[in-house]
Amino acid sequence: MSSVDLDKYFKPDLNQARKRSKNTIEELKFDLSDAHYKIGIGKTYMVQTFGCQGNEADGETMAGILELMGFTKGLSEDNVDVIIINTCAIRENAELRIWGTLGRLKAYKKQNPDLILALAGCMAQEENVVERVLKKYHHVDIIFGTHNIHKLPEYIETAMFSKEKVVEVYSQEGDIIENLPKVRNHKFKAWVNIMFGCDEFCTYCIVPYTRGKERSRSKDEIIHEIKELVETGYKEVTLLGQNVNAYGKDFQDQNYTFGDLLRDLDGLGMKRIRFQTSHPHDLDQKTMDAMRDGKSIMPHFHLPVQSGSDSVLKRMNRHYTKESYLKVLADLKKAVPGIAVTTDIIVGFPGETEEDFQDTLRLVEQADYEGAFSFIFSKREGTPAAKYIDDTPEELKKERLYLLNEKINQGYLKGNQRFLNQTVKVLVDGVSKYDSDILAGYTEHNKLVNFKGDSKWIGHIVDVKITAVKTWFMLGEIV
Ligand code: SAH
Ligand code: SF4
Ligand code: F3S
């Protein structure tokens, strides 16, 4: 295999991916051709997903396509016909896990040469990843990216019958494909994409390169999908986009943005509507008003801040200052009293000083976050920040992360304490990981609650009185 001609493949190119074309986005309908219908009968598949909710939603589509082709879900790696590794490129440790998985799967391919192994998702959009897989991971049969999931049937057919390696990754986004089948991972909670891509270009982030330019799904398609979910018994949807607050900004023929969409979705019969993720500089009053008025729009807002230092925010290309962020937050809390706010924070961004870090700690207190995801900056090849001088020692970054997490945890506890002795509505997810007599579910404010109860409540919304609070969860009793 050492003589593989690497140039014959359709590989990604990050410089191309950076460009934003003026092309109008078409809406196309997925349709499985007759030739692909029965290919999978008697065969099994596995989709292993490593990334964010958007990545998980893509994994549900891949499973949907495979089941339409006749494949059924397989249970173990050593006894399955197709494995798709649906990857994430957001940080180095996400990628390390995937390299490990790819290495491990080599043994199964040896055992079963007919096994088809596919690499998909955000890592497949990176040129250095594809080069490395082609040179060193010869057991991978298919590499396809985030823009051509709908072509999976063709790729499977080629790998299965022509025994040829398939590498097809588009650097730029294509059209919006509707009518894609899905096998959803949950029975009463669903992901619904409302837009794809990201045009923010935060300097540390690989997503605008791996997911292409922002494009919004039509409101009719979104409403149709949610109505269908209501009819099939779903209780909660999470609207997905890298920056949902930019929804509709790409529509050329109408003035219809995220606030309008929230108003139209409220009242469709879906009990709970959540969304993720928001960018502070696109969050507008119309959205806040829709949240205030919408009975089904849940009072939780994930509003990533990334840093509390203006100079770091500037170098991150975040388009806001600490002051303007706090102003948006104050407006939000005024519009929706009692709303729970959570965030994302990066420590150890190149050039972050002790003073910058202290600014972040102060902001966490001022913002009164009730939860946060915290990360150490991870250098992503091809992004602007990868070239910034990064001279903060690793040890110091770890110490900052530790101090930050201590502060964040105080916020988690405080956020839970405000519900002590109150009765809250909980959508019951299932039994607790630790005790099968205990049910677990989330409140409207997205707080985890454990309580005794019958498993018949799974998938239902029940009233629970909170009797004790911990940092990470609350305890209660059904009333
Ligand atoms: N579009 C979303 C989510 C992006 S990824 C948003 O803007 O919020 C989720 C989080 O991962 C980001 O908010 C950021 O905090 C973190 N992240 C992204 N790139 C990173 C990097 N290179 N190193 C460390 N953390 C990163
Ligand atoms: Fe990445 Fe920024 Fe886009 Fe979020 S908004 S996906 S952090 S570029
Ligand atoms: Fe990861 Fe891609 Fe999501 S990089 S976080 S899977 S958009």
Side-chain angles (χ1 to χ4, degrees):
M1 289 293 274
S2 54
S3 62
V4 195
D5 173 12
L6 297 184
D7 291 331
K8 74 176 182 182
Y9 296 120
F10 209 115
K11 291 183 289 186
D13 173 342
L14 286 181
N15 278 326
Q16 278 303 113
R18 184 176 294 132
K19 293 183 187 148
R20 286 298 179 259
S21 76
K22 292 258 177 332
N23 301 347
T24 35
I25 303 288
E26 303 270 338
E27 187 184 292
L28 303 175
K29 297 267 186 213
F30 175 81
D31 194 11
L32 192 68
S33 76
D34 289 344
H36 295 141
Y37 252 109
K38 293 184 177 155
I39 286 184
I41 287 182
K43 296 194 160 64
T44 55
Y45 76 92
M46 272 177 118
V47 177
Q48 301 186 358
T49 291
F50 289 82
C52 60
Q53 291 92 339
N55 195 233
E56 197 177 310
D58 286 348
E60 293 181 340
T61 302
M62 293 170 200
I65 293 176
L66 290 169
E67 295 207 2
L68 204 58
M69 294 170 75
F71 289 93
T72 51
K73 204 176 202 146
L75 296 175
S76 73
E77 286 171 344
D78 60 353
N79 185 20
V80 70
D81 300 292
V82 174
I83 300 179
I84 301 181
I85 311 292
N86 186 21
T87 62
C88 173
I90 199 80
R91 282 171 291 275
E92 193 184 9
N93 48 12
E95 296 203 346
L96 289 175
R97 274 179 68 207
I98 291 154
W99 290 118
T101 303
L102 276 180
R104 186 165 53 74
L105 290 173
K106 192 170 184 175
Y108 299 120
K109 179 85 181 181
K110 266 206 176 121
Q111 208 174 298
N112 170 16
D114 289 333
L115 167 68
I116 293 175
L117 197 61
L119 184 83
C122 285
M123 265 172 90
Q125 295 292 138
E126 296 180 294
E127 55 206 50
N128 58 350
V129 168
V130 172
E131 295 278 343
R132 182 166 158 192
V133 172
L134 287 175
K135 285 192 185 129
K136 296 202 177 134
Y137 294 77
H138 298 162
H139 57 294
V140 174
D141 303 288
I142 303 174
I143 306 178
F144 66 103
T146 58
H147 303 308
N148 48 344
I149 296 171
H150 59 289
K151 291 181 78 181
L152 182 58
E154 264 176 52
Y155 305 149
I156 297 276
E157 183 189 24
T158 310
M160 220 176 215
F161 299 113
S162 319
K163 302 275 175 205
E164 271 175 48
K165 198 184 278 297
V166 182
V167 181
E168 191 161 277
V169 181
Y170 304 145
S171 296
Q172 291 199 318
E173 67 291 330
D175 301 310
I176 289 186
I177 315 289
E178 292 295 350
N179 204 32
L180 285 162
K182 274 181 177 289
V183 174
R184 297 187 190 266
N185 292 331
H186 304 275
K187 294 280 169 279
F188 44 89
K189 287 190 207 208
W191 312 118
V192 172
N193 284 311
I194 62 165
M195 60 187 301
F196 305 97
C198 181
D199 287 347
E200 289 297 334
F201 288 98
C202 304
T203 53
Y204 49 82
C205 183
I206 195 75
V207 173
Y209 307 81
T210 64
R211 294 273 164 177
K213 90 171 171 182
E214 275 171 9
R215 55 253 189 251
S216 305
R217 276 181 86 191
S218 83
K219 87 171 203 215
D220 293 341
E221 288 291 344
I222 298 168
I223 290 176
H224 175 74
E225 186 172 344
I226 293 183
K227 279 186 172 162
E228 250 179 23
L229 288 165
V230 171
E231 279 162 22
T232 45
Y234 278 82
K235 299 279 171 28
E236 178 173 308
V237 292
T238 302
L239 311 175
L240 296 182
Q242 291 302 335
N243 174 13
V244 292
N245 298 99
Y247 175 81
K249 293 198 170 161
D250 55 321
F251 290 150
Q252 276 153 7
D253 50 349
Q254 53 182 324
N255 183 3
Y256 186 86
T257 55
F258 188 55
D260 300 304
L261 181 68
L262 284 181
R263 273 191 198 277
D264 283 342
L265 299 184
D266 184 45
L268 291 182
M270 184 55 71
K271 291 269 187 296
R272 293 180 162 198
I273 298 176
R274 303 186 184 277
F275 50 83
Q276 201 153 292
T277 307
S278 298
H279 192 300
H281 97 109
D282 281 320
L283 171 55
D284 57 10
Q285 193 62 44
K286 207 164 155 185
T287 299
M288 303 185 204
D289 292 346
M291 290 190 79
R292 175 197 61 208
D293 299 339
K295 300 243 171 327
S296 60
I297 319 288
M298 292 296 102
H300 166 226
F301 212 107
H302 187 67
L303 194 60
V305 67
Q306 314 298 357
S307 169
S309 148
D310 286 347
S311 83
V312 172
L313 287 171
K314 195 157 191 210
R315 278 180 291 123
M316 287 178 161
N317 193 31
R318 288 290 289 183
H319 304 290
Y320 54 82
T321 59
K322 174 177 178 171
E323 197 184 319
S324 67
Y325 178 92
L326 286 170
K327 165 80 173 65
V328 171
L329 201 58
D331 291 345
L332 181 64
K333 289 183 175 178
K334 195 163 149 213
V336 190
I339 192 166
V341 180
T342 55
T343 200
D344 289 348
I345 296 171
I346 297 176
V347 296
F349 186 76
E352 182 189 67
T353 62
E354 184 56 33
E355 209 178 313
D356 292 326
F357 175 64
Q358 291 301 329
D359 281 343
T360 298
L361 288 183
R362 264 191 294 277
L363 175 86
V364 172
E365 268 177 27
Q366 283 170 292
D368 243 334
Y369 293 121
E370 299 191 355
F373 295 116
S374 53
F375 311 100
I376 291 180
F377 167 76
S378 171
K379 188 170 157 175
R380 303 286 70 209
E381 219 49 68
T383 63
K387 297 206 182 77
Y388 295 177
I389 295 169
D390 182 11
D391 52 10
T392 312
E394 207 50 38
E395 277 313 305
L396 186 55
K397 290 183 184 179
K398 284 190 185 148
E399 191 185 310
R400 285 182 186 165
L401 185 68
Y402 177 82
L403 293 172
L404 174 64
N405 285 342
E406 284 206 319
K407 184 92 32 216
I408 291 171
N409 293 349
Q410 292 166 10
Y412 271 106
L413 183 62
K414 205 168 147 203
N416 284 342
Q417 275 163 344
R418 66 187 175 109
F419 294 98
L420 189 61
N421 297 323
Q422 289 192 23
T423 298
V424 292
K425 295 209 172 303
V426 177
L427 172 55
V428 185
D429 263 351
V431 294
S432 150
K433 270 188 281 191
Y434 309 102
D435 183 346
S436 58
D437 290 335
I438 302 286
L439 298 176
Y442 285 86
T443 70
E444 298 189 329
H445 294 80
N446 211 32
K447 315 268 175 200
L448 177 62
V449 188
N450 286 336
F451 52 98
K452 256 207 170 79
D454 195 290
S455 59
K456 72 175 183 198
W457 294 116
I458 293 174
H460 294 269
I461 295 173
V462 295
D463 285 327
V464 176
K465 183 168 182 208
I466 301 302
T467 53
V469 298
K470 310 276 175 201
T471 301
W472 307 112
F473 61 99
M474 313 194 280
L475 294 170
E477 288 163 2
I478 292 198
V479 291

